[in-house]
Amino acid sequence: MASTAPYLRSELAQQWQDKDVFSVVQQLEGDVFRDKEGRKTLRFELQNKSYFLKVHQGIGWKEIIKNLVQLRMPVISAKNEWQAIHFLEKHQIDTMTIAAYGERGINPAKVESFIVTDELTETMSLEHLGQQWKKSPPTFKTKISLIEKLAHITKTMHENGMNHRDFYLCHFLLDQRFSEHNTIDENTKLFLIDLHRAQLRSKTPLRWIIKDLGSLYFSAAEVPLTKRDLFRFIKIYSGGKLRNSVVKNRDFWFNVGKRAGKLLVE
């Protein structure tokens, strides 16, 4: 893996000018959300603006080999997130905004990297929204709008070669500035986050599509949805008539349900 010259947006380039950026990000202080397995995530503030930083410090050969033995692609740097964010931007899916990114090192087990994104403020996770719906059900229009948004995002992502690998409701953030009075419409932004394990290919493998959809279905298990709601998602995701989508792809949707069921009992 070749080293990459750090990218710094103008305000960070000004603050960190003539400094070793890798040393700077290592010394940043803030609210730590994760610090293990060679990856640290924290929220920090600079010049009255808040950011999220993810630092990858090298996961070691042991972790790389363990992932490969389990037939999982190891995440060795912040490059996954960098590429996934650009992919989502290209396909007009709302996500995080990159403020800085850097990577150095050749040895895969010792690659150092980081990514800084703007903090997404005034948002609510769909997991939390689903819990609210138990006490305060949404309007029909609101529920339909959200199902359509989720289906379009998932369809666009999978059809263009990306799978998320952590595709749960908690990794969707709803812009609360457009969701007052429990109303969601076509102008409401829905941000997809936590992209460090995302994979990009020319074509998304079927097994990873099933895993993504199964994870999403599992995370919605406690949300008050009807069969009609599920069928509406299937129709939009499949891009055809509902009967054809269900009948022709019966085994596919059965495997999605099976995957969700497996997560429920784990």
Side-chain angles (χ1 to χ4, degrees), residues 237-248:
Y237 179 85
S238 300
K241 293 183 177 180
L242 179 60
R243 182 177 295 276
N244 291 338
S245 300
V246 174
V247 173
K248 289 185 178 180

Side-chain angles (χ1 to χ4, degrees), residues 8 10-21 24:
L8 301 176
S10 58
E11 80 273 20
L12 295 184
Q14 184 177 7
Q15 288 292 319
W16 298 342
Q17 187 176 11
D18 299 325
K19 297 180 181 179
D20 179 1
V21 178
V24 170

